[in-house]
Amino acid sequence: MIPFVDLKAQYRQIRQELDEAIQSIIDRTAFIGGGAVSEFERSFSEYLGVSFTVGVGNGTDALFLALKAAGLGEGDEVLVPAMTFIATSEAVSMCGATPVFVDVDTDGLLIDLEQANRKVSERTRAIIPVHLYGQPADMDSVVEFAGTHDLAIVEDCAQSHGATFNKSVTGTIGHVGCFSFYPGKNLGAFGDGGAVVTNDEELAERVRMLANHGRLDKYNHLIEGVNSRLDALQAAILSVKLKYLEGWTEARIRNAAHYSESLEDIPEIRVPVTLPDRRHVFHLYVIRAERRDELMEYLKSHEVGVGIHYPIPIPLLEAYAYQGHNPEDFPVAAGASQEILSLPMFPELSQSDTDRVSELIRKYYHA
Ligand SMILES: *Cc1c(COP(=O)(O)O)cnc(C)c1O
């Protein structure tokens, strides 16, 4: 059996360190705020090379709080790629603004700025490039585009911890970066967690305030906010794991290379393209496959864990029926959603595992 992800393998590796970190928080009974959270925020800032990190409750809230702190609200429009997880557009609606969906490019399934250009209106205030599967969007073009149209850039880095574009780390290129520490993400907590990162001190302060009932000290509420804090247990766990992130990322990249070497000559398959000037951190390893659904069933029947990210382009979900879209509005995303297949991907995957998966795919296509 080769699972899609194996969180236990990672825990086994660093069990003692994690158990001690957890126990120390319990011993201190400082569960909300306190040293463990600020310590993690400091080390995450240092890792990314950014001035400010604000720990929050989860990645969806990170996006919501970043948008809200950037002043987004009712009547505003935000450009969102059609191929992402629903959290990206949910966050836009949560702050009262409207997501405007944009198709993606064929190679990377990243936001297509030509279509974005046709969807800009006088209400457009922000763009959310999603660094999908761990591959950075073309941030040079996003920055230029946002400059032309005077838009805030809110990077969705939920899948791109440590990914770079032209040597700049995702999350630090736009105005604000939003991370998820959901357990299965490249840096994962033992529950929900997230962070907003920025070099803009005022923005960081606003996020911190909004995430903590609109206050900076105990009962001095300047505005109404929400309750969305990173808790101390998660922060302590993340501080331990952060030290290993680079090694884990290198292992993901190695695993991806092993897959691609074994699969790239199969005519029915397209292996993922790493676009120029990027470090792709392979949160997911996603192939395009002919007869995808049959291949998926074949792999499952041979005890290989696989997934589809994502089976329905976001604007075509029932939740967005009110926008009245059809697949022809997003031809690339709609086409890709029928072909994409995510293979097992996690740092501890061995080469014999990737070889076994590749061998099965080869057998399936008689390649
Ligand atoms: C996981 C994810 C999110 C949301 O993060 P949560 O911590 O689960 O709220 C947002 N965007 C993308 C692209 C994601 O993959």
Side-chain angles (χ1 to χ4, degrees):
M1 157 100 202
I2 302 175
F4 184 62
V5 281
D6 183 356
L7 299 178
K8 267 192 196 155
Q10 192 177 79
Y11 177 56
R12 274 197 297 269
Q13 246 179 62
I14 51 171
R15 177 172 194 158
Q16 194 178 345
E17 231 182 315
L18 284 169
D19 289 357
E20 281 169 16
I22 292 165
Q23 191 58 51
S24 85
I25 298 295
I26 298 172
D27 290 342
R28 280 187 266 165
T29 64
F31 296 114
I32 301 291
V37 176
S38 45
E39 194 182 307
F40 171 70
E41 290 176 340
R42 246 194 328 274
S43 35
F44 198 56
S45 291
E46 193 181 319
Y47 171 74
L48 297 175
V50 74
S51 305
F52 306 98
T53 295
V54 182
V56 300
N58 55 68
T60 310
D61 282 356
L63 288 160
F64 159 66
L65 293 161
L67 290 163
K68 184 108 177 142
L72 270 288
E74 207 146 320
D76 296 329
E77 294 178 354
V78 179
L79 299 168
V80 173
M83 186 56 82
T84 181
F85 179 58
I86 192 173
T88 315
S89 47
E90 252 174 353
V92 174
S93 306
M94 279 163 74
C95 70
T98 304
V100 173
F101 292 101
V102 178
D103 205 4
V104 290
D105 75 278
T106 316
D107 285 338
L109 305 182
L110 303 164
I111 194 162
D112 173 0
L113 294 178
E114 261 169 54
Q115 194 183 83
N117 200 39
R118 293 197 293 277
K119 298 222 165 170
V120 171
S121 78
E122 70 267 20
R123 293 167 169 235
T124 313
R125 295 275 316 281
I127 181 167
I128 309 184
V130 177
H131 307 304
L132 193 72
Y133 309 148
Q135 166 140 266
D138 177 352
M139 289 307 289
D140 276 353
S141 304
V142 169
V143 168
E144 191 188 322
F145 179 86
T148 306
H149 300 285
D150 195 22
L151 309 178
I153 303 170
V154 178
E155 294 180 66
D156 184 335
C157 305
Q159 304 185 359
S160 73
H161 313 68
T164 63
F165 180 83
N166 273 340
K167 306 242 154 42
S168 298
V169 185
T170 56
T172 69
I173 308 167
H175 298 98
V176 55
C178 302
F179 288 85
S180 165
F181 305 123
Y182 180 82
K185 298 290 161 84
N186 287 24
L187 179 61
F190 283 4
D192 280 310
V196 177
V197 309
T198 182
N199 288 310
D200 179 340
E201 184 165 16
E202 240 178 82
L203 188 74
E205 193 100 315
R206 272 203 301 282
V207 170
R208 197 175 285 290
M209 210 158 68
L210 284 166
N212 191 18
H213 302 294
R215 70 183 162 193
L216 287 174
D217 48 37
K218 190 130 196 187
Y219 289 117
N220 189 17
H221 304 267
L222 304 173
I223 48 173
E224 276 188 334
V226 297
N227 176 3
S228 183
R229 299 170 299 223
L230 183 66
D231 71 67
L233 277 171
Q234 304 309 335
I237 289 160
L238 290 167
S239 284
V240 171
K241 286 190 163 198
L242 181 59
K243 295 185 287 180
Y244 298 93
L245 180 59
E246 272 307 289
W248 290 336
T249 301
E250 286 302 320
R252 286 178 183 273
I253 293 170
R254 255 194 323 273
N255 293 338
H258 290 152
Y259 272 136
S260 292
E261 279 158 28
S262 336
L263 296 173
E264 65 195 351
D265 65 325
I266 303 177
E268 291 88 348
I269 291 281
R270 265 187 297 160
V271 299
V273 180
T274 297
L275 297 162
D277 309 314
R278 269 102 159 159
R279 182 191 197 209
H280 185 330
V281 296
F282 289 99
H283 172 58
L284 296 170
Y285 183 88
V286 179
I287 60 169
R288 314 269 192 101
E290 287 178 24
R291 292 176 277 137
R292 189 267 319 269
D293 291 342
E294 293 84 349
L295 174 63
M296 182 165 69
E297 288 316 311
Y298 178 81
L299 290 172
K300 279 184 185 165
S301 72
H302 288 81
E303 306 208 291
V304 173
V306 289
I308 300 175
H309 302 85
Y310 296 88
I312 304 172
I314 304 302
L316 304 180
L317 291 169
E318 186 65 35
Y320 296 102
Y322 74 92
Q323 293 204 359
H325 286 300
N326 57 59
E328 292 79 63
D329 299 333
F330 309 97
V332 178
S337 66
Q338 307 297 310
E339 299 172 357
I340 48 181
L341 184 67
S342 310
L343 303 184
M345 172 53 78
F346 49 93
E348 298 77 14
L349 202 63
S350 69
Q351 183 157 8
S352 67
D353 293 331
T354 58
D355 283 348
R356 157 113 182 111
V357 176
S358 303
E359 220 25 68
L360 283 168
I361 295 174
R362 230 169 228 298
K363 236 193 222 158
Y364 176 76
Y365 289 113
H366 308 290

